[in-house]
Amino acid sequence: MRWLSVLLAMLWLGLSAPAVAEISRDEHSFAHLDEVRIRHVFLDLDVDFERKRLSGFAELQLDWHKPAARTLDLDTRELTIERVLASDGQGHWKQAPFALAPKHPAFGRQLTIRLSQQAPKVRVYYHTSPRASGLQWLEPVQTLGKKLPFMFSQAQAIHARSFVPLQDTPAVRFTYDARITAPAGIRVVMSANNDPAATGQGGYRFNMPQAIPSYLLAIAAGDLAYKAMGPRSGVYTEPGRLDAAAKEFEDTETMIDATEKLYGPYRWGRYDLLILPPSFPFGGMENPRLSFITPTVIAGDKSLTSLIAHELAHSWSGNLVTNASWRDLWLNESFTSYVENRIVEAVYGVEQARAQQVVGQHELLEEIKALPEIDQHLVLTLAGRDPDDAFSGVPYTKGEWMLRMLEQRFGREKFDAVIRDWFDGHAFQSVGTDEFLAFFGKRLFDQAGAAMTRAEVDEWLYRPGIPTHAQPSQSPLLERIDAALKAFIAGGDAATLNAKVWTTGEWLHFLNGLPDDLKAEKLAELDAQYKLTGTGNGEIAFRFYLAGIRADYAPMRAALKAHLIGIGRRKLMVPLWTELAKTAGNKSWALEVYAVARPGYHPIAQGTVDAILGYRPR
Ligand code: BES
Ligand code: ZN
């Protein structure tokens, strides 16, 4: 019986060991995580629109792990460090010497603070640069109301270091509070406990009692009004957009309820939305308690609200259970894309959920054709590279596809239980692919005779392309569109498409399926029947203009120009610039338009488009 007790002891050790191995370095951070970790951050900052900068101090509360350690290495990018104070734990603060290392092209500058003892708290006085990669400063004319300026942050992946000196790695979690001052008439909001009744007298106060990684630190300031949507959800945006936003996103509370039913309690208190100006470079960002959202999803018919489902889903996958490094971004985005689709199914029905799967898979297969093989793996190889450079649909849709395969093979009931336990068992932890393999392996694919094998999972994680065992999703709705598309391409009349009744999903699928060599006359026919040029639906507009550039369909040029100038969301404009850059004529037109568009773009978006057009900022 001795072997049995040994086995039991091994099992017991296996279960009681900490669930997550602590890493000592993250390849994108200068921090030494085995020596010291930030536990809490206090920010005391002023929002200065005149000088386009945040200034004040960040007070870092530290947990020391290595007895001999006397230095604190932080991440910074274009920060001016004024002075550093260290506390002795008895209420005395003393100046501490510090040094900024030379600039690394992707990671910024390492700030090394030398301490005479293991200080429990360190204060860094600093200000940001007007070109901070994680902030965008808008002039009043760039806002809807035209009267007050606007500022917002975007920290993911490694831009928090451009507005706060800290350990900028998802492997470290901290709680935070803040006092932020701003000019009269400006409301400040953060990824924390926002109070719609706050006046800002003496500064806005914030508290975030749940520990978060640095990429979820977020702040915005502007002429913001608030409207409640449900008992725990509401929307902040400029007054001129408030009613439209609250109406468009009125299903938010229903989405929260639906997600709780599937995956357990929402653990963050309130869930509000901040609708930003259209220069926001992403569709959405899952800042805890306050998702940041592009206004380009206000289509007027709720047809693009799956974006809200996506950002809400991150409250479980990503914010609760977090990728420990950017190599494992798929752990955040695949689970979120999968959960997003389950929310869409629960709230809008299975037809719509399936249609979105099909559109997503179609676009992934197109995108993959142009991606280097190494970027087609779910587990990314980033060594030395800016994580932004490896951004693609792979960690989203390929991983979502794998999870759906697991669901199909093991059955929904069983799979749902494992996902729920995964969230519960790793809540407020940062994890890597190894933890995924251990946890899901034990419950699913490492079991004898498993319906999907470890080898199959490895193929998704560590090989390019889509494994041959992958089952594509099917949508009867879109099969009808495929038939319509075929007839139209073969010369059929646009009027007989009967597309006036099509949903956004049907349109996206149709436009995605147009061949590259389609004649401009066919687009003219479509346009005459269905008025696509200038449509208020940004997703439809983007795909129509892409087809328009390829077919050299001139009548849409003015609207395309307005789109490129008005919308800074990368997904809706980067492919258009890329297409324009392919011919000399289009490229010179694009450079003229870009001269107008560029000042309104976010620094991250500017970088991307500069590279595409070979534009050199002076
Ligand atoms: N967290 C992402 C945005 C992100 C990812 C920013 C990586 C920086 C680096 C967000 O949740 C997201 O995925 N947004 C998508 C939404 C879409 C997939 C529904 C977007 O912006 O398009
Ligand atoms: Zn996401």
Side-chain angles (χ1 to χ4, degrees):
M1 286 311 262
R2 214 181 113 75
W3 61 270
L4 187 64
S5 50
V6 170
L7 193 74
L8 282 173
M10 278 169 62
L11 253 172
W12 167 247
L13 279 172
L15 289 173
S16 61
V20 179
E22 300 270 284
I23 59 167
S24 63
R25 295 303 301 261
D26 169 350
E27 61 185 335
H28 298 111
S29 169
F30 295 115
H32 288 88
L33 306 174
D34 53 337
E35 299 184 357
V36 56
R37 287 177 178 235
I38 296 173
R39 144 198 296 276
H40 182 82
V41 175
F42 171 60
L43 297 173
D44 190 316
L45 296 172
D46 178 56
V47 183
D48 183 346
F49 284 102
E50 234 112 82
R51 294 207 266 186
K52 294 189 169 36
R53 69 192 207 182
L54 300 177
S55 66
F57 68 82
E59 186 175 292
L60 311 176
Q61 200 173 312
L62 304 169
D63 278 341
W64 291 90
H65 293 283
K66 204 184 223 171
R70 291 291 182 277
T71 55
L72 173 63
D73 291 304
L74 301 176
D75 298 298
T76 76
R77 177 183 282 146
E78 303 227 28
L79 293 184
T80 303
I81 309 297
E82 289 145 10
R83 63 198 166 105
V84 178
L85 301 183
S87 109
D88 63 1
Q90 265 111 53
H92 303 294
W93 293 88
K94 232 176 50 187
Q95 294 251 12
F98 65 89
L100 275 172
K103 184 161 151 186
H104 179 287
F107 308 150
R109 301 178 71 179
Q110 173 174 354
L111 170 63
T112 301
I113 299 169
R114 273 175 246 295
L115 300 160
S116 52
Q117 56 174 322
Q118 297 196 332
K121 284 182 188 175
V122 164
R123 261 191 199 182
V124 183
Y125 288 79
Y126 71 101
H127 63 259
T128 60
S129 153
R131 290 173 313 278
S133 61
L135 301 177
Q136 187 177 13
W137 298 88
L138 297 174
E139 301 286 347
V141 297
Q142 295 170 298
T143 67
L144 192 61
K146 314 280 179 219
K147 287 204 281 285
L148 291 168
F150 203 105
M151 182 277 300
F152 63 86
S153 69
Q154 165 58 42
Q156 195 180 6
I158 56 169
H159 301 284
R161 64 189 65 181
S162 76
F163 58 98
V164 181
L166 40 57
Q167 294 176 317
D168 196 10
T169 162
V172 172
R173 311 179 81 96
F174 52 80
T175 52
Y176 80 86
D177 51 12
R179 188 185 78 97
I180 312 287
T181 52
I186 296 286
R187 174 186 293 281
V188 181
V189 290
M190 291 192 81
S191 53
N193 66 330
N194 294 289
D195 172 10
T199 62
Q201 286 280 336
Y204 287 91
R205 300 257 172 192
F206 301 95
N207 178 238
M208 177 39 116
Q210 287 104 337
I212 60 161
S214 59
Y215 78 91
L216 295 177
L217 200 59
I219 181 168
D223 183 10
L224 293 173
Y226 172 79
K227 190 166 180 174
M229 294 191 294
R232 44 183 174 168
S233 59
V235 61
Y236 291 89
T237 191
E238 284 193 68
R241 206 174 255 133
L242 190 61
D243 290 335
K247 184 90 196 80
E248 193 81 14
F249 305 127
E250 67 185 4
D251 296 332
T252 302
E253 198 76 34
T254 311
M255 290 182 177
I256 305 173
D257 295 341
T259 323
E260 285 190 311
K261 249 205 202 130
L262 286 166
Y263 303 112
Y266 177 76
R267 305 194 198 209
W268 303 87
R270 294 194 54 82
Y271 181 72
D272 293 319
L273 306 176
L274 170 66
I275 315 304
L276 290 156
S279 66
F280 182 55
F282 291 96
M285 178 64 212
E286 64 273 25
N287 297 316
R289 295 190 183 198
L290 183 68
S291 284
F292 284 22
I293 302 293
T294 173
T296 63
V297 287
I298 305 179
D301 59 2
K302 300 187 190 174
S303 62
L304 302 176
T305 53
S306 60
L307 176 86
I308 308 299
H310 180 95
E311 304 314 332
L312 170 67
H314 273 303
S315 306
W316 284 262
S317 45
N319 300 5
L320 203 58
V321 183
T322 308
N323 53 213
S325 93
W326 298 116
R327 307 171 57 221
D328 295 318
L329 177 67
W330 80 272
L331 283 174
N332 276 12
E333 297 300 346
S334 302
F335 277 83
T336 297
S337 300
Y338 174 82
V339 171
E340 165 197 338
N341 199 256
R342 294 293 300 272
I343 299 172
V344 168
E345 181 182 322
V347 177
Y348 299 109
V350 72
E351 272 284 83
Q352 190 163 331
R354 292 270 166 76
Q356 292 185 3
Q357 291 168 24
V358 169
V359 169
Q361 291 175 357
H362 178 100
E363 292 181 350
L364 174 71
L365 294 173
E366 284 301 307
E367 187 185 5
I368 274 188
K369 290 182 190 160
L371 278 184
E373 287 205 339
I374 192 82
D375 292 341
Q376 298 178 19
H377 302 193
L378 277 180
V379 179
L380 297 170
T381 305
L382 289 170
R385 263 203 306 173
D386 185 334
D388 286 353
D389 294 346
F391 186 80
S392 79
V394 169
Y396 289 77
T397 315
K398 181 178 173 181
E400 176 191 355
W401 201 337
M402 175 181 82
L403 295 176
R404 191 162 298 112
M405 288 307 300
L406 286 166
E407 180 204 313
Q408 277 173 21
R409 297 272 192 95
F410 291 96
R412 180 171 271 196
E413 205 178 321
K414 189 166 181 183
F415 188 60
D416 282 359
V418 181
I419 293 209
R420 194 179 164 146
D421 291 346
W422 166 250
F423 292 148
D424 282 341
H426 301 85
F428 300 105
Q429 293 179 19
S430 301
V431 296
T433 300
D434 288 347
E435 276 90 26
F436 165 82
L437 286 170
F439 190 90
F440 282 76
K442 193 161 168 211
R443 299 276 295 267
L444 303 173
F445 45 76
D446 286 342
Q447 294 195 343
M452 185 158 155
T453 64
R454 173 68 173 259
E456 286 174 309
V457 171
D458 281 345
E459 223 181 309
W460 287 92
L461 296 175
Y462 304 110
R463 310 282 309 161
I466 303 300
T468 47
H469 69 257
Q471 285 287 334
S473 296
Q474 309 222 301
S475 154
L477 197 68
L478 297 189
E479 276 157 23
R480 290 209 302 271
I481 298 296
D482 285 331
L485 186 62
K486 216 163 146 195
F488 177 70
I489 295 167
D493 186 6
T496 62
L497 288 173
N498 196 25
K500 290 222 162 79
V501 298
W502 283 0
T503 60
T504 296
E506 290 171 287
W507 268 114
L508 301 189
H509 189 65
F510 181 85
L511 294 170
N512 282 342
L514 293 176
D516 289 358
D517 59 358
L518 192 75
K519 293 269 177 304
E521 298 85 77
K522 295 301 283 178
L523 290 183
E525 259 181 54
L526 273 181
D527 213 6
Q529 283 293 326
Y530 306 110
K531 306 229 173 337
L532 296 170
T533 292
T535 167
N537 186 312
E539 295 273 358
I540 293 178
F542 155 68
R543 287 170 182 79
F544 184 68
Y545 299 152
L546 196 60
I549 299 168
R550 289 181 179 142
D552 205 9
Y553 173 59
M556 57 104 207
R557 278 288 159 145
L560 167 62
K561 181 175 171 182
H563 177 98
L564 291 168
I565 293 170
I567 298 180
R569 179 180 173 192
R570 288 210 296 193
K571 182 183 156 205
L572 298 188
M573 54 80 174
V574 167
L576 296 172
W577 294 115
T578 306
E579 194 62 33
L580 286 167
K582 287 182 183 169
T583 70
N586 278 336
K587 190 169 174 182
S588 67
W589 182 82
L591 278 164
E592 270 170 46
V593 177
Y594 188 49
V596 185
R598 191 179 188 277
Y601 278 11
H602 186 284
I604 305 178
Q606 287 178 348
T608 311
V609 181
D610 286 357
I612 293 167
L613 296 177
Y615 178 95
R616 278 174 196 274
R618 292 190 301 142

